[in-house]
Protein backbone atom coordinates (compact mmCIF):
# COMPACT_ATOMS: atom_id res chain seq x y z
CA UNK A 1 0.00 0.00 0.00
CA UNK A 2 1.61 3.31 -1.09
CA UNK A 3 -0.26 5.33 1.53
CA UNK A 4 -3.74 6.17 2.74
CA UNK A 5 -6.27 8.94 2.41
CA UNK A 6 -8.65 9.31 5.35
CA UNK A 7 -12.25 10.40 4.88
CA UNK A 8 -14.40 12.05 7.53
CA UNK A 9 -15.65 8.70 8.84
CA UNK A 10 -12.06 7.62 9.44
CA UNK A 11 -11.38 10.81 11.40
CA UNK A 12 -14.50 10.25 13.50
CA UNK A 13 -13.33 6.68 14.12
CA UNK A 14 -9.99 8.04 15.35
CA UNK A 15 -11.83 10.31 17.79
CA UNK A 16 -13.98 7.42 19.01
CA UNK A 17 -10.87 5.30 19.62
CA UNK A 18 -12.05 2.67 17.14
CA UNK A 19 -9.63 -0.25 17.50
CA UNK A 20 -9.59 -1.23 13.84
CA UNK A 21 -8.98 2.36 12.76
CA UNK A 22 -6.20 2.72 15.30
CA UNK A 23 -4.57 -0.50 14.07
CA UNK A 24 -4.68 0.74 10.46
CA UNK A 25 -3.27 4.11 11.48
CA UNK A 26 -0.51 2.48 13.54
CA UNK A 27 0.38 0.18 10.64
CA UNK A 28 0.64 3.07 8.19
CA UNK A 29 2.61 5.22 10.63
CA UNK A 30 5.03 2.44 11.57
CA UNK A 31 5.67 1.68 7.89
CA UNK A 32 6.27 5.39 7.24
CA UNK A 33 3.49 5.49 4.68
CA UNK A 34 1.99 8.85 3.75
CA UNK A 35 -1.29 9.56 5.52
CA UNK A 36 -3.37 12.24 3.81
CA UNK A 37 -6.25 14.03 5.49
CA UNK A 38 -7.90 16.22 2.84
CA UNK A 39 -8.71 19.66 4.28
CA UNK A 40 -12.45 19.29 3.70
CA UNK A 41 -12.61 16.09 5.73
CA UNK A 42 -10.76 17.78 8.55
CA UNK A 43 -13.27 20.64 8.47
CA UNK A 44 -16.16 18.16 8.66
CA UNK A 45 -14.66 16.31 11.63
CA UNK A 46 -13.07 19.15 13.63
CA UNK A 47 -15.87 20.20 15.98
CA UNK A 48 -14.50 20.38 19.52
CA UNK A 49 -11.08 21.89 18.94
CA UNK A 50 -8.76 21.27 21.89
CA UNK A 51 -10.91 18.41 23.18
CA UNK A 52 -10.19 16.37 20.05
CA UNK A 53 -6.95 15.03 21.47
CA UNK A 54 -6.75 11.85 19.37
CA UNK A 55 -7.29 13.68 16.11
CA UNK A 56 -4.88 16.45 17.12
CA UNK A 57 -2.21 13.83 17.86
CA UNK A 58 -2.79 12.24 14.48
CA UNK A 59 -2.39 15.59 12.74
CA UNK A 60 1.05 15.99 14.34
CA UNK A 61 2.45 12.69 13.06
CA UNK A 62 5.44 13.25 10.77
CA UNK A 63 3.91 11.36 7.83
CA UNK A 64 0.52 13.14 7.93
CA UNK A 65 -0.29 15.86 5.43
CA UNK A 66 -3.44 17.92 4.96
CA UNK A 67 -3.83 18.57 1.22
CA UNK A 68 -5.58 21.89 0.61
CA UNK A 69 -8.96 22.26 -1.00
CA UNK A 70 -7.63 25.08 -3.15
CA UNK A 71 -9.22 26.44 -6.32
CA UNK A 72 -7.97 23.75 -8.73
CA UNK A 73 -8.92 20.93 -6.34
CA UNK A 74 -12.31 22.48 -5.59
CA UNK A 75 -13.07 22.81 -9.30
CA UNK A 76 -11.98 19.22 -9.97
CA UNK A 77 -14.18 17.98 -7.10
CA UNK A 78 -17.15 19.92 -8.48
CA UNK A 79 -16.59 18.52 -11.96
CA UNK A 80 -16.39 14.97 -10.61
CA UNK A 81 -19.66 15.49 -8.71
CA UNK A 82 -21.27 16.80 -11.89
CA UNK A 83 -20.02 13.87 -13.95
CA UNK A 84 -21.23 11.29 -11.44
CA UNK A 85 -24.47 13.02 -10.40
CA UNK A 86 -23.47 13.32 -6.74
CA UNK A 87 -23.56 16.27 -4.36
CA UNK A 88 -20.67 15.95 -1.90
CA UNK A 89 -17.53 17.77 -3.05
CA UNK A 90 -15.67 16.63 0.07
CA UNK A 91 -16.16 12.97 -0.88
CA UNK A 92 -15.03 13.90 -4.39
CA UNK A 93 -11.90 15.57 -2.99
CA UNK A 94 -11.11 12.37 -1.06
CA UNK A 95 -11.40 10.28 -4.22
CA UNK A 96 -9.34 12.75 -6.25
CA UNK A 97 -6.60 12.83 -3.60
CA UNK A 98 -6.46 9.03 -3.50
CA UNK A 99 -6.26 8.88 -7.30
CA UNK A 100 -3.56 11.55 -7.51
CA UNK A 101 -1.41 9.92 -4.83
CA UNK A 102 -2.26 6.30 -5.73
CA UNK A 103 -3.53 5.74 -2.20
CA UNK A 104 -6.13 3.57 -0.50
CA UNK A 105 -9.04 5.36 1.17
CA UNK A 106 -9.98 4.42 4.69
CA UNK A 107 -13.71 5.11 4.95
CA UNK A 108 -16.96 4.37 6.70
CA UNK A 109 -18.88 5.35 3.56
CA UNK A 110 -17.74 3.08 0.75
CA UNK A 111 -20.98 3.30 -1.26
CA UNK A 112 -20.73 7.05 -1.84
CA UNK A 113 -17.06 6.83 -2.76
CA UNK A 114 -17.70 3.93 -5.15
CA UNK A 115 -20.35 6.08 -6.87
CA UNK A 116 -17.60 8.58 -7.58
CA UNK A 117 -15.01 6.03 -8.69
CA UNK A 118 -15.77 2.32 -9.00
CA UNK A 119 -12.05 1.52 -9.02
CA UNK A 120 -10.85 3.46 -5.98
CA UNK A 121 -9.17 1.20 -3.42
CA UNK A 122 -11.09 1.23 -0.15
CA UNK A 123 -10.75 -0.14 3.34
CA UNK A 124 -14.10 -0.05 5.12
CA UNK A 125 -14.07 0.61 8.85
Amino acid sequence: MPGVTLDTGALIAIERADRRMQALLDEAHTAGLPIDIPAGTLAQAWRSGPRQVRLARTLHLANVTVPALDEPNAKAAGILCGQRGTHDPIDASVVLNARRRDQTVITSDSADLRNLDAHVRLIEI
Side-chain angles (χ1 to χ4, degrees):
M1 172 176 22
V4 294
T5 298
L6 307 183
D7 79 349
T8 305
L11 301 183
I12 292 168
I14 290 169
E15 272 302 296
R16 292 183 177 162
D18 179 270
R19 289 182 193 189
R20 181 152 188 260
M21 182 62 222
Q22 191 59 54
L24 291 166
L25 193 61
D26 290 346
E27 180 182 333
H29 180 65
T30 299
L33 299 175
I35 301 169
D36 288 359
I37 300 173
T41 66
L42 180 58
Q44 285 180 324
W46 193 259
R47 299 291 184 217
S48 302
R51 293 186 302 209
Q52 290 185 276
V53 175
R54 288 181 184 93
L55 184 52
R57 272 193 225 130
T58 300
L59 290 168
H60 288 98
L61 295 173
N63 54 328
V64 169
T65 59
V66 180
L69 185 56
D70 57 10
E71 182 179 347
N73 289 328
K75 286 178 178 178
I79 288 169
L80 181 58
C81 285
Q83 290 170 340
R84 303 301 298 159
T86 65
H87 302 284
D88 189 339
I90 302 305
D91 281 352
S93 74
V94 167
V95 167
L96 291 170
N97 187 80
R99 279 183 189 170
R100 186 172 32 258
R101 304 258 293 151
D102 190 29
Q103 293 182 335
T104 299
V105 178
I106 301 177
T107 182
S108 63
D109 192 12
S110 60
D112 286 349
L113 299 181
R114 285 259 184 250
N115 284 338
L116 290 161
D117 184 342
H119 303 291
V120 67
R121 291 186 312 271
L122 302 173
I123 296 173
E124 179 86 32
I125 52 166

